[in-house]
Each structure stands twice: as C-alpha cells, then as structure tokens.
Amino acid sequence: PEAITIQELANRMAERAVDVIKLLMKQGQMLKINDVIDADTAELIAEEMGHTVKRVSEADVEEGLFTEAEDEGGLKPRPPVVTIMGHVDHGKTSLLDALRNANVVAGEAGGITQHIGAYQVERNGQKVTFIDTPGHAAFTQMRARGAKATDIVILVVAADDGVKPQTKEAIAHAKAAGVPIIVAINKIDKPAADPNRVRTELLQDEIVVESMGGDVIEVEVSALKGTNLDKLVEMILLQAEVLELQANPDRTAEGIVIEAQLDKGRGPVATVLVQKGTLHVGDILVAGAEWARVRAMLDENGNQVKVAEPSKPVEVLGFQGTPEAGDRVAVVENEARAREIVDYRQRQKREKASVQFSGARGSLEQMMN
Ligand code: GDP
Ligand code: MG
C-alpha cells in the first residue's frame, strides 16, 4: 500500500502514536491517530525515529505463490466443477439434492451426508463436482476476487414459470465469466409446464438451445420426480469433454475457499476446492489472510481423506483463523513463509479497515489502495 495510518506506523515501529503525531506536528502537519500518511512521509518519520525502513511490497510477499500459466507437462483430465443458478423457487436446491441423493442411494448405502458447500457425484467412474452454495452471491463474490471456481453453469428454469429476472442475471454472470451454460428446464412433471415457452423466452437473452438450432445444451428434468437426472449428468460430462478440462495433480496444491465457518468443536473449518495439484494432510497452506497446517480433510460424506486431487472439494481442518469464501488457497514450503504472507495480508486488511474508518479525511486514492 502507498499509505499507512499513524496508528499502524507506530505499531510497526513499536513506538507510541502520540510521539509520531508530535514529530509530524514539528514538521507542520496536524494529524490524528487514524489519519493516513503516504509511504514517503512514513519512511522519513521512521528514519527520524531511528528505525531502518524496509518497504515490503505485495510483489515480494506474493511472488511465486500462484502459477497463472498452465503447467507445461503432467496435465491430466479433471472432473468438471458445476454451479447451479436460476430464479428463486425454480428448483436449484431440489436439483442439487436430487443429484446428490441419487448418488448416495446408488453409491455408499446409508452414507451420512453433511453440508460442506460442495460435493462430487460419480457416474460410470466419471466424477462431477457441484458447488452447493447460494449460487449468485458466491459466484459474483468469487469473480470479484478474480477467482474462477466454475467450469459450467446449470441454468435452472421452471417450465411453469419461464425466464425471470434472476434467470437473466444468471445468464449475464455466466456470459461475463465466459462459462458455458447448460439449461435445465425443471418441473416438467407439472401440468402447467410449458418447456417450449422457456426455449422461446431464452432467445431474448441470446440463449439458443440445441432443439432450436443453437449450441446451448438443454435437458428437461424434474428434480421432484428424478426425471432425466442421468441425462443431465451425461450432458455435463459431454460439455466437460468439449472443454478439455485438465490439471496437473503432481504438484503443490492451489484452490479456492468455497465456504468457511468457525465450528464450536472443531475450530475454523473451510471447504476448499482443489484446482491444481494435490492437497495432502500435513500441508501448510495460506487462504486469504489465514493459514493452516492441514490437520485433517473430510469429504462430503464425512469420511477422512488423506489427499485431495484437482476438482475435489474437502473440508479442511487446522486453520489458525477463519478464511473467507472466495479466498484463494496456495500451499507453501513452510510455516515461516505462511506466517510472512498472512502477517502481510492481515496488516493490509487492518490498514484498509482503518482508512475506511477515518473516512473522508483520506483521499479517494488512499481509500482505493
Ligand atoms: P430454489 O429456490 O431454486 O432452490 O428452489 P427449491 O429447490 O427450493 O424449490 C422450490 C419449490 O419448487 C419447492 O417447493 C420444491 O419442492 C419445488 N420443486 C422443485 N423442483 C420441482 C420439480 O421438478 N417439480 C415440482 N412439481 N416441484 C418442484
Ligand atoms: Mg434454494
């Protein structure tokens, strides 16, 4: 950051803020404890008070943390990550539950499912990962942080209700993110269902489904009756094949926090979607302004797993604090590195908060740093 509050500067030097204010006053600047000064002024003050100044930039701390470029070798196919979006009451939750239960019934009998924000289902040995968080909010939050957590959007449209405002919103999000859409025309069991009306209405938003000569896959389903769910999964896998989704499992892991909370018994718990590499128990990772030594990982059925490969969502235990949904995750070499990164990020967070707190006195530029 190019600015710092007087309080934060004093903290970092282990000096009293009032002494900093006095020094500034001598130089003709009348400032209060939560006021912001620029980096150059801060450096002068620090030197005058007998401190050595080392400016730590984001680049220093974050260097090499994420690999933006695709791995050259070692790429292997990975399961698609799917988010279900659509207007309220059109059946997002029902569809997620139906897809999951169908799998639970077929798979591990009597498996106790728990909500972990994301889960995988398996069909004929092929996996699909569903993100099970309130669709739009999570999607936009993650996108705002430059993270891409979704390969495919399932757009749920109730056949008896048609295209609605949140349907259009979902289309806009998916398009802006460059994520392909599969249309699930839901509630076809209802007498009032009119799937063709849905198809026609979608044209307004330039969604042309295959049966109308376009290239957007559509499937008529009933989440309630379980109709065509297999077909939907099949279409997801087909779309995934077209996308040629790949990742290198043989490297340190990167991923994203899908959701996180402070659990009374277990401490901070985060659902992490692994996107590259393989996450292992014992790994040290940073997520936003928090870090963890992975103590345990649990899958959606509450089973402990030792490793999590690309597109696998797992609950991660062992965090020092609770990270935020949308935080990017990276495994680092050791605890010292994790602490360095997290210290820096927490400092930045505090500065941002105090700059906002001191309000209008900071310039607009400072507020945006
Ligand atoms: P969400 O708001 O999009 O998550 O929608 P919900 O899954 O909560 O569903 C809203 C309502 O529609 C609930 O009463 C569901 O039981 C009902 N519903 C969902 N899918 C179907 C379906 O395929 N057929 C019928 N008849 N009702 C459905
Ligand atoms: Mg719902």
Side-chain angles (χ1 to χ4, degrees):
E2 296 307 303
I4 186 171
T5 64
I6 288 168
Q7 178 72 72
E8 182 62 33
L9 177 63
N11 288 351
R12 277 197 230 172
M13 297 187 297
E15 300 277 0
R16 296 187 315 158
V18 61
D19 292 332
V20 176
I21 291 172
K22 275 185 195 158
L23 204 58
L24 282 161
M25 215 187 293
K26 270 190 208 154
Q27 300 175 354
Q29 292 203 63
M30 302 289 286
L31 295 169
K32 292 206 242 359
I33 194 158
N34 281 322
D35 284 339
V36 174
I37 54 177
D38 62 37
D40 291 333
T41 309
E43 189 163 339
L44 285 176
I45 294 287
E47 275 167 359
E48 204 142 323
M49 294 180 92
H51 295 270
T52 3
V53 175
K54 183 177 157 229
R55 283 203 206 177
V56 182
S57 73
E58 181 153 339
D60 294 335
V61 176
E62 308 276 333
E63 173 139 37
L65 196 53
F66 294 105
T67 48
E68 299 302 342
E70 280 306 322
D71 300 46
E72 283 294 310
L75 289 177
K76 292 187 182 138
R78 64 167 176 85
V81 180
V82 178
T83 303
I84 300 190
M85 299 173 92
H87 196 72
V88 64
D89 282 345
H90 279 200
K92 297 180 292 294
T93 305
S94 304
L95 193 57
L96 271 164
D97 287 351
L99 286 160
R100 182 172 180 174
N101 290 336
N103 189 67
V104 169
V105 173
E108 57 262 84
I112 304 157
T113 58
Q114 58 183 61
H115 177 86
I116 77 159
Y119 63 86
Q120 260 184 356
V121 303
E122 199 170 326
R123 284 288 143 89
N124 308 323
Q126 287 181 289
K127 292 171 177 154
V128 179
T129 302
F130 289 97
I131 296 189
D132 183 8
T133 49
H136 304 220
F139 197 82
T140 34
Q141 200 177 11
M142 285 177 200
R143 276 224 313 128
R145 291 173 197 214
K148 195 183 164 195
T150 301
D151 301 310
I152 297 167
V153 164
I154 304 292
L155 182 69
V156 181
V157 191
D160 63 337
D161 202 27
V163 171
K164 287 282 173 286
Q166 282 166 283
T167 317
K168 289 174 174 286
E169 206 183 294
I171 293 169
H173 284 318
K175 281 192 171 169
V179 177
I181 291 172
I182 295 177
V183 178
I185 304 176
N186 191 30
K187 307 198 186 185
I188 52 155
D189 59 285
K190 282 193 147 185
D194 186 356
N196 281 333
R197 177 180 143 208
V198 173
R199 293 183 174 94
T200 310
E201 286 178 353
L202 283 170
L203 292 172
Q204 273 190 12
D205 292 276
E206 278 145 40
I207 299 289
V208 188
V209 295
E210 284 184 329
S211 67
M212 297 190 78
D215 53 11
V216 177
I217 299 171
E218 95 258 39
V219 187
E220 292 185 10
V221 299
S222 165
L224 193 74
K225 307 271 182 203
T227 314
N228 276 348
L229 298 187
D230 275 335
K231 193 168 172 209
L232 180 60
V233 175
E234 205 179 293
M235 289 304 134
I236 292 168
L237 289 167
L238 189 74
Q239 179 69 261
E241 225 175 276
V242 174
L243 294 172
E244 290 183 60
L245 303 170
Q246 294 182 314
N248 177 4
D250 303 313
R251 41 157 292 164
T252 54
E254 287 177 22
I256 185 169
V257 174
I258 301 296
E259 61 177 29
Q261 65 275 324
L262 186 59
D263 187 289
K264 263 190 185 161
R266 301 183 296 167
V269 180
T271 300
V272 171
L273 173 70
V274 177
Q275 295 178 301
K276 293 177 178 177
T278 298
L279 187 62
H280 304 83
V281 169
D283 279 351
I284 292 169
L285 59 82
V286 293
E290 304 296 340
W291 71 276
R293 180 190 293 277
V294 180
R295 190 169 77 229
M297 296 192 290
L298 304 169
D299 69 10
E300 58 275 68
N301 300 313
N303 297 320
Q304 294 223 12
V305 293
K306 290 264 176 273
V307 294
E309 293 178 329
S311 299
K312 177 89 182 161
V314 279
E315 264 194 331
V316 172
L317 276 60
F319 273 95
Q320 303 293 307
T322 313
E324 290 170 29
D327 280 343
R328 292 181 71 189
V329 173
V331 167
V332 296
E333 314 84 85
N334 53 41
E335 197 178 310
R337 174 100 168 101
R339 284 185 189 280
E340 179 195 29
I341 294 164
V342 164
D343 282 353
Y344 175 76
R345 289 179 177 175
Q346 287 189 349
R347 221 156 54 211
Q348 275 203 315
K349 255 181 139 175
R350 276 200 304 272
E351 274 163 24
K352 230 181 231 166
S354 65
V355 168
Q356 274 160 13
F357 185 70
S358 64
R361 305 246 359 214
S363 73
L364 187 61
E365 198 183 359
Q366 285 161 342
M367 313 248 306
M368 291 171 74
N369 268 319

